[in-house]
């Protein structure tokens, strides 16, 4: 099993990005930022999902993000599959979904983060899945266009989604070029995957 300890977003203004994520999510988000001048335009090929305890929490955190400089892509609303979610773009350009599967009224406005999901937009889901399985990941869910891998003891769940499908799901234009602006901290050794996403060695997770 390969465990993801955190993800690192590469941003042009590190201090502003750190302030944004601290203000919106507090200290428990397993996301770091670091400065980078690597050029990137449009969709960066990944999204980050944060699962919260109820619709009121989604509304509150979404509003806090907008007040801190984020842009709404899809305002929070009930979904056909029964959940409640909204999509926004952070000031650094990364795309986020805030979601819950809880029923209306459940969870109150408790902002506790229940799960963080990193979705990578890939060219070939089957090929990318095989490459990750070869590195020790195990498949938890396989829907063809979307595969979710077992998180193990990691702080972040990894999902693989066909790139254009991921962009459509999150309501953004799939066009983009340049750096992904993302590094994934993994326990067990760094590498670059078949879609160009960089993985970096992270300290072992505490028991």
């Amino acid at each position: 099993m390969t465990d993801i300890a955190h993800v690192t977003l590469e941003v042009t203004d590190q201090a502003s990005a750190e302030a944004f994520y601290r203000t919106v999510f507090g200290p428990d988000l397993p996301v770091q930022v670091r400065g980078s001048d690597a050029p990137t335009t449009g969709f960066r090929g990944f999204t980050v999902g944060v699962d919260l305890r109820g619709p009121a929490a989604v509304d509150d955190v979404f509003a806090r993000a907008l007040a801190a400089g984020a842009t709404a892509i899809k305002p929070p609303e009930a979904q056909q599959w029964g959940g409640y979610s909204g999509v926004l773009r952070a000031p650094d350009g990364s795309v986020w979904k805030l979601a819950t599967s809880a029923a209306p009224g459940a969870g109150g406005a408790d902002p506790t983060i229940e799960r963080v999901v990193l979705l990578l937009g890939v060219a070939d889901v089957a090929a990318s899945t095989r490459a990750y399985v070869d590195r020790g990941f195990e498949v938890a869910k396989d829907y063809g266009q979307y595969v979710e891998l077992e998180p193990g003891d990691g702080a972040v769940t990894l999902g693989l989604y066909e790139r254009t499908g991921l962009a459509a799901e999150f309501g953004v234009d799939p066009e983009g070029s340049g750096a992904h602006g993302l590094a994934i901290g993994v326990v067990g050794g760094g590498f670059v995957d078949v879609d160009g996403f960089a993985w970096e060695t992270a300290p072992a997770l505490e028991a």
Side-chain angles (χ1 to χ4, degrees), residues 3 28 34 38 60 74 76 102 109 133 139 147 171 201:
D3 302 327
D28 297 325
R34 68 181 176 215
D60 281 4
K74 293 183 178 182
V133 169
V139 174
V147 171
T201 300

Side-chain angles (χ1 to χ4, degrees), residues 1-102:
M1 180 65 66
T2 304
D3 302 327
I4 300 175
H6 58 258
V7 299
T8 300
L9 302 179
E10 297 179 336
V11 301
T12 56
D13 188 334
Q14 181 174 344
S16 292
E18 287 174 343
F20 172 80
Y21 291 111
R22 183 171 58 251
T23 297
V24 175
F25 295 107
D28 297 325
L29 185 72
V31 173
Q32 305 174 355
V33 297
R34 68 181 176 215
S36 172
D37 293 325
T40 182
T41 62
F43 183 45
R44 289 158 57 182
F46 71 91
T47 61
V48 185
V50 176
D51 290 350
L52 299 165
R53 291 190 170 181
V58 171
D59 286 339
D60 281 4
V61 176
F62 200 94
R64 192 155 61 241
L66 296 185
T71 303
I73 297 173
K74 293 183 178 182
E77 63 180 1
Q79 304 297 318
Q80 292 183 346
W81 46 266
Y84 185 83
S85 66
V87 179
L88 57 83
R89 191 185 303 273
D92 59 72
S94 55
V95 179
W96 293 69
K97 175 183 278 188
L98 308 182
T100 184
S101 58

Side-chain angles (χ1 to χ4, degrees), residues 128-165:
S128 293
T129 300
R130 288 193 298 270
Y132 281 115
V133 169
D134 288 345
R135 287 190 172 273
F137 282 91
E138 297 177 7
V139 174
K141 302 174 183 177
D142 187 345
Y143 300 110
Q145 187 185 40
Y146 169 70
V147 171
E148 187 172 298
L149 303 174
E150 290 285 357
D153 294 325
V156 178
T157 298
L158 178 65
L160 307 175
Y161 208 135
E162 191 275 325
R163 181 188 169 98
T164 57

